Amino acid sequence: GDALDLDPESLLRRVKEADERLDGAKTPLSVGEILESTPSVSDEDLAKWIGEDNSARIEKQWPKQRSRIKAAGDNLLVGGVEFGNVWIGVQPPLGLTGDPMRLMFERDTTPHPQYAAFYRWIETSLDAHAVV
């Protein structure tokens, strides 16, 4: 918090507010306003980044109508706050409420598309030098 001139409580509040702003039920923003101010990954980019086979596996387990946790149109939103050259993101849920360890043990289980988009965006678009 000190390096960003914020106390820890203010830092956490700002990150939480940024993440909650992406919740369609809680935000007064239009899709266009959200996309202008929030990093996002289009369905097309995610499919390109993860490949055809992985894209098909995710779509099979997470049909589009069930997989829109934080989305605007055909874009999955990447929640976080930027402080100069530091970006603090909020990892989306794995999508397996109550049993997140299932991903490690069941071969056909895939992460939620929002989760895949979040990490691929960090890798591909953020150009991060470190992830903590």
Side-chain angles (χ1 to χ4, degrees):
D2 290 342
L4 303 174
D5 289 329
L6 290 172
D7 62 273
E9 290 81 20
S10 295
L11 177 65
L12 288 173
R13 182 178 38 76
R14 288 202 38 204
V15 171
K16 183 178 178 188
E17 287 170 357
D19 186 54
E20 287 176 350
R21 194 183 93 209
L22 304 181
D23 185 344
K26 295 180 182 179
T27 186
L29 301 174
S30 70
V31 169
E33 290 170 319
I34 291 173
L35 291 175
E36 284 179 18
S37 63
T38 305
S40 64
V41 176
S42 69
D43 291 341
E44 184 179 294
D45 282 343
L46 180 60
K48 183 173 54 176
W49 291 345
I50 65 175
E52 193 174 306
D53 290 343
N54 286 329
S55 188
R57 287 181 60 223
I58 287 176
E59 178 61 29
K60 180 180 177 187
Q61 182 164 352
W62 302 103
K64 194 176 273 192
Q65 67 272 15
R66 282 191 9 202
S67 66
R68 305 315 257 186
I69 292 178
K70 292 189 178 169
D74 288 334
N75 293 281
L76 299 164
L77 303 173
V78 180
V81 178
E82 190 171 339
F83 300 96
N85 65 349
V86 174
W87 181 79
I88 300 174
V90 179
Q91 175 181 290
L94 287 169
L96 300 171
T97 307
D99 193 8
M101 296 301 287
R102 199 170 99 202
L103 272 177
M104 293 186 345
F105 300 107
E106 291 184 17
R107 288 181 57 81
D108 293 340
T109 304
T110 66
H112 190 277
Q114 186 81 31
Y115 189 86
F118 178 84
Y119 283 101
R120 289 299 179 155
W121 178 84
I122 289 172
E123 180 182 23
T124 306
S125 297
L126 183 61
D127 194 28
H129 294 270
V131 175
V132 180

